Amino acid sequence: MPPLAPPPAAGAPAAPAAPRAAEVVRRLELTLGRRVDGLLHGRHLGRMPGLGSEPAESRRYVPGDDPRRMDWNVTARTTVPHVRDAVAEREATSWLVVDLSPSTDFGTARCTKRDLVVAAAGALVVLASRAGDRVGAHVLTHEGVATFPPRAGADHARALLDAVAHAPLPDRDPAVARPGPDLDHALDRAARTAGRRGLVAVLSDFAGPGTWVPALRSLAARHEVLAVEVLDPRELDLPDVGTVVVGDVETGAVREVRTDDPVLRARYAAAARARRAATARALRGCGADHLVLRTDGDPTAALVRWLAERPRRLAHLRRAAAGGAGGRP
């Protein structure tokens, strides 16, 4: 993934012009190609049999599997429940829900959370395009939700990445911050536009009170959902830097905080751990696969590890869903 750098300090020389979308796509293809090609080989697995699908290999039943996939012939021969996967048509459709709301315009490490969302979206667009899939996006900013219909091909990947990278920026002055739509608005639109079963990747910091949970649960009931959470280390641990003035870019609220108070820092860390645990629990409860990217980490390495471990996690999600619903073969 292209290197990400924090914004230049005041008085520093101007940074070189940002590379064009075509150059960014080429860099992503070169960076990701060798590291993930081995994980992406093979055919798409359909979530259920139907038009445009063919029978695939039989395997042992795992709690959470769709009982309509039962392979009764193999089950009768082996006396062990088996299901048969379905191979979907080659050109699947993937959707991205890209959260570039004002809360992502924050970062204290290698980049801002917004930069991380854009980089992760670019990586997913490139990977889907290399597989021949059609990719669309719903981009959430402080101005609203912009929808880009799904298409295939490198030209569309470049255009989509360019649109995401140049989405409107929020006003950096909290005093004039203008609240925009919440993440649940973008998820609701994704549920309305993504008709056929497919893959939906949600890239966000999942900030706020969690009003997005019902919309994400509804989306995950029909589609495979990948939740990519972006995080900055200062959201987990408050450093001792004296008295600072902090502002909420979402609401415009401004407050003076004494970071030299150890009790305050301990309460902050505890609240941050509780919020992260609640977010992970909510995503798991919705049935979404969860990836965490940090602004002080290597997003490429995290993405590769995530892809390598994904089959095991999906099986765990199926078992958890079956346990919650009391499913049985």
Side-chain angles (χ1 to χ4, degrees):
M1 209 166 285
L4 304 170
R20 294 180 301 173
E23 178 63 23
V24 173
V25 170
R26 283 195 294 270
R27 290 182 187 178
L28 285 169
E29 288 177 332
L30 290 173
T31 304
L32 292 169
R34 292 184 178 180
R35 300 181 71 172
V36 301
D37 270 350
L39 304 175
L40 296 177
H41 286 163
R43 300 176 293 179
H44 293 285
L45 290 181
R47 292 195 56 165
M48 64 180 295
L51 295 176
S53 64
E54 299 176 356
E57 298 293 329
S58 290
R59 58 175 175 80
R60 294 191 62 169
Y61 173 88
V62 175
D65 283 335
D66 191 334
R68 290 171 293 181
R69 288 183 173 183
M70 292 297 299
D71 189 331
W72 297 111
N73 291 331
V74 177
T75 299
R77 289 198 304 269
T78 63
T79 70
V80 177
H82 276 69
V83 294
R84 185 175 291 275
D85 287 325
V87 179
E89 61 180 348
R90 180 57 183 162
E91 291 188 2
T93 300
S94 300
W95 282 93
L96 303 183
V97 177
V98 185
D99 181 3
L100 297 178
S101 56
S103 65
T104 63
D105 193 34
F106 173 77
T108 61
R110 299 177 60 202
C111 62
T112 65
K113 293 190 292 182
R114 179 188 178 98
D115 296 329
L116 200 54
V117 167
V118 171
L124 293 173
V125 168
V126 168
L127 294 179
S129 298
R130 286 169 67 90
D133 293 348
R134 295 177 296 151
V135 189
H138 301 283
V139 182
L140 172 67
T141 69
H142 67 287
E143 295 184 350
V145 181
T147 299
F148 301 88
R151 295 187 179 88
D155 290 341
H156 174 66
R158 286 190 287 269
L160 186 56
L161 180 56
D162 186 67
V164 171
H166 293 90
L169 290 164
D171 197 307
R172 289 182 177 271
D173 184 359
V176 296
R178 181 161 57 94
D182 294 327
L183 178 60
D184 55 315
H185 289 77
L187 295 174
D188 286 336
R189 182 175 295 189
R192 292 195 305 268
T193 55
R196 299 178 61 183
R197 288 179 181 268
L199 176 67
V200 179
V202 183
L203 303 96
S204 173
D205 57 359
F206 297 98
T211 56
W212 47 266
V213 172
L216 185 65
R217 183 180 295 113
S218 176
L219 191 64
R222 180 172 178 80
H223 303 277
E224 181 181 345
V225 173
L226 312 180
V228 181
E229 180 186 6
V230 294
L231 186 68
D232 187 85
R234 290 288 75 83
E235 295 177 312
L236 304 176
D237 183 34
L238 192 63
D240 182 359
V241 292
T243 302
V244 296
V245 177
V246 297
D248 188 335
V249 294
E250 296 276 0
T251 65
V254 179
R255 184 172 181 176
E256 188 176 277
V257 177
R258 290 188 55 188
T259 62
D260 56 354
D261 183 353
V263 176
L264 173 65
R265 293 200 306 273
R267 289 173 55 194
Y268 181 94
R273 287 194 299 270
R275 177 183 175 276
R276 283 215 63 209
T279 299
R281 189 163 52 247
L283 293 173
R284 186 169 58 249
C286 292
D289 195 8
H290 185 199
L291 167 67
V292 177
L293 297 180
R294 294 172 52 117
T295 59
D296 59 348
D298 180 356
T300 304
L303 181 61
V304 171
R305 287 195 301 269
W306 186 52
L307 288 170
E309 298 172 359
R310 191 158 168 261
R312 178 183 58 80
R313 288 195 312 275
L314 292 180
H316 176 74
L317 285 173
R318 287 196 299 267
R319 289 193 295 269
R328 60 180 181 272

